[in-house]
Amino acid sequence: GQSLEQPSEVTAVEGAIVQINCTYQTSGFYGLSWYQQHDGGAPTFLSYNALDGLEETGRFSSFLSRSDSYGYLLLQELQMKDSASYFCAARKYNFNKFYFGSGTKLNVKP
Amino acid sequence: DTGVSQDPRHKITKRGQNVTFRCDPISEHNRLYWYRQTLGQGPEFLTYFQNEAQLEKSRLLSDRFSAERPKGSFSTLEIQRTEQGDSAMYLCASSLGPTGPKTSTDTQYFGPGTRLTVL
């Protein structure tokens, strides 16, 4: 089976740093993606890890540990516009099939 | 705007009716995906096309669902004999596919979705 676990909701203040964790159980795991989705909007791609370690893209970084079946998304210098849902998605090896977690709703407060 | 368009944006139908949705991907993208998303959940994979070939279909997809991608361009998703449980947001995404050993991201670009309500 396939499963991805994320916290359902996280609250942080503007300017702070927040980490959203994702643990997965995916047979034939190939890589982990992160998407952002604002209410009423479509998911937009943030980051992808195929190898262990940290990938940095501006204020957003993503980390993967294959041995722990674990990844996280790190958001720095939080802004009000970062309030959204964040999804991790596991890609299955040799298939272009992505399994999404249930999402983490991030609330950024002033 | 990602460049992926979907039509219609909203559809209200009565139980038992057939509905068809259209997705126009980014023109140079050869991969196209359909997902279903319900409130508070992540997108759920339905099916995937590489050009015009449907290569993967979720086992969760009943026989009432069918998708096509003639000529490897736009795609349609049809739901026959709709049920109230089909009410959801139907998302389409397209991707270019990996272009090299380091670019295995295969980033998917999502359209705005079609919100289906079955009464």
Side-chain angles (χ1 to χ4, degrees):
Chain A
Q2 323 291 338
S3 71
L4 291 96
E5 297 286 334
Q6 303 178 234
S8 59
E9 193 163 352
V10 171
T11 300
V13 297
E14 210 173 1
I17 299 172
V18 72
Q19 178 174 314
I20 298 174
N21 299 321
C22 173
T23 56
Y24 60 87
Q25 286 186 327
T26 304
S27 59
F29 176 82
Y30 193 65
L32 193 72
S33 295
W34 288 91
Y35 285 82
Q36 178 193 62
Q37 186 176 31
H38 287 97
D39 284 347
T44 55
F45 173 81
L46 292 177
S47 188
Y48 176 75
N49 294 73
L51 303 174
D52 283 2
L54 194 68
E55 291 282 339
E56 296 180 78
T57 310
R59 294 189 297 115
F60 296 169
S61 304
S62 59
F63 173 82
L64 177 66
S65 169
R66 288 173 167 269
S67 59
D68 296 322
S69 297
Y70 164 76
Y72 66 72
L73 179 70
L74 192 73
L75 297 88
Q76 301 182 72
E77 300 171 19
L78 280 175
Q79 302 175 10
M80 297 298 292
K81 67 178 182 179
D82 297 329
S83 292
S85 292
Y86 292 84
F87 296 92
C88 58
R91 183 179 178 191
K92 189 165 175 164
Y93 180 72
N94 236 14
F95 295 95
N96 281 292
K97 198 169 183 177
F98 290 77
Y99 297 93
F100 281 76
S102 298
T104 299
K105 187 171 176 59
L106 172 63
N107 302 303
V108 180
K109 296 189 178 301
Chain B
D1 184 359
T2 62
V4 179
S5 61
Q6 293 187 244
D7 183 70
R9 296 291 304 276
H10 303 273
K11 179 71 177 178
I12 300 174
T13 191
K14 292 183 179 179
R15 191 177 54 181
Q17 298 294 304
N18 298 344
V19 293
T20 300
F21 309 141
R22 177 181 169 124
C23 170
D24 286 90
I26 295 171
S27 59
E28 62 267 28
H29 285 185
N30 54 31
R31 296 179 175 177
L32 188 146
Y33 306 77
W34 284 100
Y35 292 87
R36 177 172 61 191
Q37 187 176 26
T38 53
L39 199 62
Q41 298 298 314
E44 177 188 19
F45 174 86
L46 294 179
T47 190
Y48 152 67
F49 290 86
Q50 171 95 14
N51 299 312
E52 67 275 9
Q54 188 174 19
L55 298 184
E56 189 80 21
K57 186 175 175 179
S58 170
R59 282 174 290 202
L60 300 172
L61 216 59
S62 77
D63 291 342
R64 297 184 297 105
F65 287 73
S66 62
E68 292 182 343
R69 193 183 181 198
K71 302 178 184 178
S73 56
F74 72 93
S75 176
T76 58
L77 177 69
E78 181 182 17
I79 309 174
Q80 297 182 325
R81 305 181 303 281
T82 52
E83 302 172 356
Q84 287 184 325
D86 297 331
S87 294
M89 176 73 86
Y90 289 84
L91 293 164
C92 171
S94 70
S95 71
L96 183 60
T99 55
K102 288 202 69 174
T103 57
S104 57
T105 306
D106 198 25
T107 301
Q108 294 183 43
Y109 295 85
F110 283 82
T114 295
R115 182 168 295 284
L116 173 65
T117 303
V118 182
L119 301 176

